[in-house]
Amino acid sequence: MSFKKTLIFFVALLLLGGYYYVFEIKMAEKKEAAETAQKQLFQLKKEDIAAISLKRAAEEIVLKKRENVWKLEQPVAAFADANAVDALLTAFIGAEREKTVAEKAEKPEEFGLNAPEIVIAATTQSNAASTLSIGQMTPTSTAYYATAGHAPAVFTISAAFKTEIDKTVYDMRDKTALDFDPAQVKTARFTVTSPEKPTPETIELSQENALWQITSPKTANADTAKVNAILSELKNAAVMEFVAETPDKLADYGLDAPQKILTLTVGDGQEKMLRLGNRNEERGGVYAQHEATGNIFMLPGTVDDEFPNTLNDLRDKTLLTFENDAIQSVEIATATETIAAQRADTAWKLVKPAEFPADAIALNALLNNAKNAKAADFVDDAGTDLAAYGLNPAQLTLTLR
């Protein structure tokens, strides 16, 4: 084949490829974009929406953005769940009609639009409103009839979209039990009452350098992991149910004289308080009340489970604190025998009752067991009568140097 023919074929191939790209790919993309735009019901930007409402026959949920924070205004005044609001806005601005079934509804009741199941409306900062009314389900049970604004046309929307916007007050409400940053907590005060100790006991702790210390009713090291677990459980706990906004019978929930109260001092001295009342075993929750709002809600029972019942629940139960490599000698003494071992460079040797090479694995296991041992409970802080506990003399004494 001559060079001229090859060049002609090459140019023809380029033209064919260009035609395919322009008319088949780019035009198809434009056509698809145009079809999507035609289906889209609203031309809105999420950041421009200042209010959104969901209206049903029995209630209306109204949310408004104030100082860039979303809040519930009806049927109750409360903070909104920011993630839930964002998801609702995303669904609404992306609403699409599936197909038009009537240019005008001569009989709205045929589509359930004389009394819509849900009316969702968004208002922008410029006070422009966009409304979608959703009627009954179509015979195929895959879509719902709807109208937009004052336009007479009836069209269908997907059942999935209806699910995305069919939210309750609980769905849209902030379910944070107590809003705080555990790292910013300066002090914690636990007030507990138990059948064994009906008089309330107050335990005060302070946090410094990420370690917790008990400061009252006595000074002692706190179990930092335990305290952090309590705070983490509370921080991450989501309200299971909002029970009563203005309760008049606190005794019904065990909150007239709560058995457990937590007061936190955070940041610059701000106090946050939470009260725990009766358990609801059927729901697996515990009734609670936030001092700032006064309303009663239910938290997961795990919050109650983590809460201490006594001072000893919060005490550090570590018996010995050391690093294995720092120990140079080990001595175990009983009433009849003393066994002692000394470290010799990287090896161990027995020095009592006689000198022998020691089992390094067994000694390291002994050190690990001693380091990991925890007190089961604290019986007598004064410890003035050791004989009463069989400790004078002790049955066994372990000495590490």
Side-chain angles (χ1 to χ4, degrees), residues 39-324:
K39 289 181 179 179
Q40 192 163 347
L41 294 171
F42 309 111
Q43 303 299 318
L44 293 171
K45 292 182 179 179
K46 194 185 300 183
E47 58 269 23
D48 293 336
I49 298 176
I52 190 164
S53 65
L54 285 165
K55 188 174 183 180
R56 300 179 180 85
E59 74 171 352
E60 182 174 14
I61 303 170
V62 178
L63 302 109
K64 291 186 179 180
K65 185 166 62 175
R66 300 189 182 279
E67 297 180 355
N68 215 33
V69 176
W70 281 96
K71 295 183 179 181
L72 266 170
E73 298 214 343
Q74 289 184 36
V76 62
F79 284 102
D81 183 326
N83 291 330
V85 174
D86 186 75
L88 181 64
L89 295 178
T90 299
F92 184 74
I93 65 177
E96 293 183 352
R97 64 167 56 86
E98 288 190 332
K99 64 178 181 178
T100 300
V101 295
E103 293 300 330
K104 183 179 180 181
E106 299 294 342
K107 296 181 178 180
E109 62 273 12
E110 292 181 351
F111 306 101
L113 290 167
N114 56 321
E117 185 177 335
I118 301 175
V119 178
I120 180 169
T123 305
T124 65
Q125 296 173 2
S126 60
N127 213 34
S130 300
T131 305
L132 180 66
S133 299
I134 300 174
Q136 66 192 29
M137 184 177 280
T138 62
T140 60
S141 300
T142 58
Y144 285 81
Y145 297 114
T147 58
H150 297 292
V154 178
F155 50 86
T156 59
I157 57 167
S158 70
F161 169 78
K162 195 256 188 182
T163 300
E164 289 178 332
I165 60 94
D166 192 4
K167 301 303 177 184
T168 64
V169 176
Y170 174 81
D171 294 330
M172 303 310 301
R173 188 167 179 174
D174 180 16
K175 289 168 275 294
T176 303
L178 203 60
D179 186 18
F180 69 98
D181 179 359
Q184 297 299 315
V185 177
K186 304 298 183 185
T187 66
R189 184 168 67 251
F190 295 90
T191 302
V192 296
T193 305
S194 64
E196 296 77 18
K197 296 185 69 174
T199 301
E201 178 183 21
T202 298
I203 309 159
E204 297 182 7
L205 303 95
S206 64
Q207 179 178 213
E208 188 172 352
N209 298 325
L211 293 175
W212 283 96
Q213 184 82 8
I214 297 172
T215 58
S216 179
K218 63 181 64 179
T219 301
N221 292 331
D223 185 340
T224 293
K226 171 66 174 178
V227 177
N228 287 338
I230 295 170
L231 297 182
S232 178
E233 180 68 35
L234 185 56
K235 169 68 178 176
N236 297 321
V239 173
M240 298 168 59
E241 178 186 349
F242 294 97
V243 179
E245 294 303 321
T246 55
D248 56 359
K249 292 183 179 180
L250 295 178
D252 291 348
Y253 310 100
L255 288 164
D256 54 330
Q259 295 188 4
K260 299 178 181 180
I261 303 173
L262 173 62
T263 306
L264 303 177
T265 304
V266 297
D268 57 358
Q270 181 184 7
E271 280 198 350
K272 294 178 179 286
M273 180 185 288
L274 184 75
R275 302 181 179 95
L276 298 184
N278 294 338
R279 293 288 292 249
N280 184 317
E281 299 298 344
E282 183 178 348
R283 294 287 308 279
V286 58
Y287 293 113
Q289 186 180 41
H290 190 293
E291 184 186 44
T293 58
N295 64 322
I296 293 176
F297 47 90
M298 190 185 298
L299 292 177
T302 49
V303 173
D304 186 44
D305 295 337
E306 285 286 351
F307 211 94
N309 294 305
T310 66
L311 169 67
N312 288 345
D313 288 343
L314 294 173
R315 291 182 66 171
D316 183 5
K317 298 177 178 62
T318 302
L319 299 178
L320 299 171
T321 301
F322 61 90
E323 294 298 327
N324 287 18

Side-chain angles (χ1 to χ4, degrees), residues 26-40:
K26 298 303 291 183
M27 292 300 290
E29 290 177 354
K30 289 183 177 180
K31 181 180 179 181
E32 183 178 356
E35 289 175 350
T36 300
Q38 188 177 12
K39 289 181 179 179
Q40 192 163 347

